């Protein structure tokens, strides 16, 4: 009997929950929110699609009653303030740190063995906070950011190549921020062929630039953070965990010397299975890419330092 909890019934959380239910990943799904009636309403709305979509997952909503989340195998944390136009992820730290820490502590009272997926922004810092505040084994704390960024990278590549994103292998490493992510276009392939064979230097630079501002572009267009792709990215990680798929995703995880960094959570390629993230793959960054990764780490550390002032 697999059970999943999604904390935060806003656009991202509800979309994540909807994807989990449609894929029938769990027998029980709990949607929790602090706003009275929101989670209950969205859960009931989703359950009314079950007869139409053919899933059997039982979805329940809860207003801040963590006892209903007891026994969860995986918990996705999306709660916190969304990013508004002109707002950086860094500006969210003060408020969202308190929210994420409180959520993690309450979840573990009822689900001490849960694997936790962090979507809340600023994601790298919130992942680091969840790890240090809970003391959980590092494999059980996963930041979603790189999974979303890599999907956005594939989208940009597909637009220039005129191909299916499903035929592309492409990853983004580093921090989940407009200036800290590193799309590894040198290593991207189109069904095993390097994409650089089919793209001009100008196109490659444009794809990388557009990927890096992918989130900010959507925030400007729709007036708030995106939700379809972030929700789907969270659900994809849940699926790989519950079905023990051993899929390779870029996720924000704790580093202890890998990629030349320690005491930090950053996006790197990891295998996701029933135990959480199970191993880190070394993609062999070249000198330029490693320099960018180190610069990304410095920026994330500066955000993490804000936690010491709270």
């Amino acid at each position: 009997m697999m059970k999943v909890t999604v904390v935060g019934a806003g656009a991202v959380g509800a979309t994540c929950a909807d994807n989990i239910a449609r894929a029938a990943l769990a027998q029980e799904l709990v949607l929790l929110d602090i706003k009275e009636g929101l989670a209950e309403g969205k859960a009931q709305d989703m359950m009314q699609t079950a007869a139409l979509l053919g899933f059997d997952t039982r979805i329940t909503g809860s207003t801040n009653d963590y006892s209903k989340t007891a026994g969860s195998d995986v918990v996705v944390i999306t709660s916190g303030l969304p990013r508004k136009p002109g707002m950086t992820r860094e500006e969210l730290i003060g408020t969202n740190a308190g929210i994420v820490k409180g959520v993690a502590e309450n979840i573990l009272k009822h689900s001490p063995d849960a694997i936790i997926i962090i979507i809340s922004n600023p994601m790298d810092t919130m992942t680091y906070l969840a790890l240090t505040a809970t003391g959980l084994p590092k494999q059980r704390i996963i930041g979603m950011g790189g999974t979303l960024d890599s999907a956005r990278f594939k989208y940009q590549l597909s637009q220039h190549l005129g191909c299916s994103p499903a035929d592309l292998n492409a990853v983004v490493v580093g921090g989940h921020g407009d200036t800290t992510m590193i799309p590894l276009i040198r290593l991207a392939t189109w069904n095993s062929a390097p994409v650089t064979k089919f793209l001009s230097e100008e196109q490659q630079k444009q794809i990388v630039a557009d990927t890096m501002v992918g989130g900010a572009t959507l925030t400007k267009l729709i007036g708030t953070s995106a939700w379809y792709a972030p929700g789907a990215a969270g659900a994809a990680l849940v699926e790989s965990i519950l079905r023990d798929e051993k899929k390779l995703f870029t996720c924000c995880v704790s580093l202890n010397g890998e990629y030349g960094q320690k005491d930090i959570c950053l996006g790197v390629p990891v295998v996701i299975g029933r135990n959480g993230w199970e191993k880190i793959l070394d993609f062999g960054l070249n000198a330029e890419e490693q320099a960018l990764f180190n610069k990304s780490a410095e920026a994330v550390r500066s955000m993490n330092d804000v936690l010491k002032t709270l």
Side-chain angles (χ1 to χ4, degrees), residues 48-125:
Q48 290 169 4
T49 71
L52 302 169
L53 300 174
F55 65 80
D56 295 312
T57 300
R58 298 189 308 276
I59 311 170
T60 58
S62 169
T63 300
N64 227 30
D65 182 0
Y66 282 86
S67 67
K68 293 183 179 179
T69 71
S72 295
D73 296 280
V74 182
V75 176
V76 183
I77 301 178
T78 73
S79 47
L81 292 179
R83 192 161 57 142
K84 300 296 183 182
M87 179 188 290
T88 66
R89 288 183 174 90
E90 292 82 352
E91 290 171 332
L92 296 176
I93 294 175
T95 300
N96 286 357
I99 294 171
V100 170
K101 183 179 179 181
V103 168
E105 290 172 348
N106 280 311
I107 282 293
L108 291 174
K109 290 177 184 177
H110 300 281
S111 302
D113 298 320
I115 295 168
I116 296 177
I117 297 172
I118 303 292
I119 296 182
S120 306
N121 277 319
M123 193 274 313
D124 303 289
T125 297

Side-chain angles (χ1 to χ4, degrees), residues 147-174:
T147 303
L148 169 61
D149 295 333
S150 297
R152 286 173 170 166
F153 186 22
K154 292 177 185 178
Y155 162 74
Q156 294 294 343
L157 285 165
S158 72
Q159 296 303 290
H160 285 261
L161 293 169
C163 72
S164 167
D167 281 343
L168 296 168
N169 279 304
V171 300
V172 174
V173 298

Side-chain angles (χ1 to χ4, degrees), residues 11-253:
V12 174
T15 302
C16 182
D18 186 48
N19 276 274
I20 291 168
R22 287 172 184 248
L25 300 181
Q27 283 81 13
E28 186 176 358
L29 174 61
V30 177
L31 191 59
L32 184 144
D33 200 277
I34 194 170
K35 185 177 180 180
E36 185 72 36
L38 180 65
E40 290 88 343
K42 290 197 176 183
Q44 189 172 132
D45 191 14
M46 288 181 212
M47 280 302 298
Q48 290 169 4
T49 71
L52 302 169
L53 300 174
F55 65 80
D56 295 312
T57 300
R58 298 189 308 276
I59 311 170
T60 58
S62 169
T63 300
N64 227 30
D65 182 0
Y66 282 86
S67 67
K68 293 183 179 179
T69 71
S72 295
D73 296 280
V74 182
V75 176
V76 183
I77 301 178
T78 73
S79 47
L81 292 179
R83 192 161 57 142
K84 300 296 183 182
M87 179 188 290
T88 66
R89 288 183 174 90
E90 292 82 352
E91 290 171 332
L92 296 176
I93 294 175
T95 300
N96 286 357
I99 294 171
V100 170
K101 183 179 179 181
V103 168
E105 290 172 348
N106 280 311
I107 282 293
L108 291 174
K109 290 177 184 177
H110 300 281
S111 302
D113 298 320
I115 295 168
I116 296 177
I117 297 172
I118 303 292
I119 296 182
S120 306
N121 277 319
M123 193 274 313
D124 303 289
T125 297
M126 294 302 103
T127 303
Y128 182 78
L129 171 65
L131 178 69
T132 55
T134 64
L136 287 179
K138 60 184 180 181
Q139 284 81 7
R140 286 169 53 193
I141 301 287
I142 302 169
M144 177 280 292
T147 303
L148 169 61
D149 295 333
S150 297
R152 286 173 170 166
F153 186 22
K154 292 177 185 178
Y155 162 74
Q156 294 294 343
L157 285 165
S158 72
Q159 296 303 290
H160 285 261
L161 293 169
C163 72
S164 167
D167 281 343
L168 296 168
N169 279 304
V171 300
V172 174
V173 298
H176 179 57
D178 303 345
T179 60
T180 55
M181 69 178 74
I182 307 156
L184 295 177
I185 198 161
R186 176 180 67 90
L187 301 178
T189 59
W190 181 5
N191 274 353
S192 300
V195 299
T196 51
K197 290 181 61 176
F198 311 103
L199 298 168
S200 68
E201 192 71 28
E202 183 179 349
Q203 283 179 302
Q204 293 176 46
K205 290 179 180 178
Q206 188 65 53
I207 289 166
V208 169
D210 289 345
T211 298
M212 292 179 71
V213 297
T217 298
L218 291 173
T219 300
K220 183 178 179 181
L221 287 170
I222 60 182
T224 187
S225 297
W227 60 89
Y228 292 118
L237 294 177
V238 171
E239 181 171 11
S240 195
I241 293 168
L242 295 184
R243 294 182 173 169
D244 198 23
E245 291 179 333
K246 313 292 188 187
K247 282 190 174 180
L248 184 66
F249 292 96
T250 303
C251 293
C252 178
V253 300

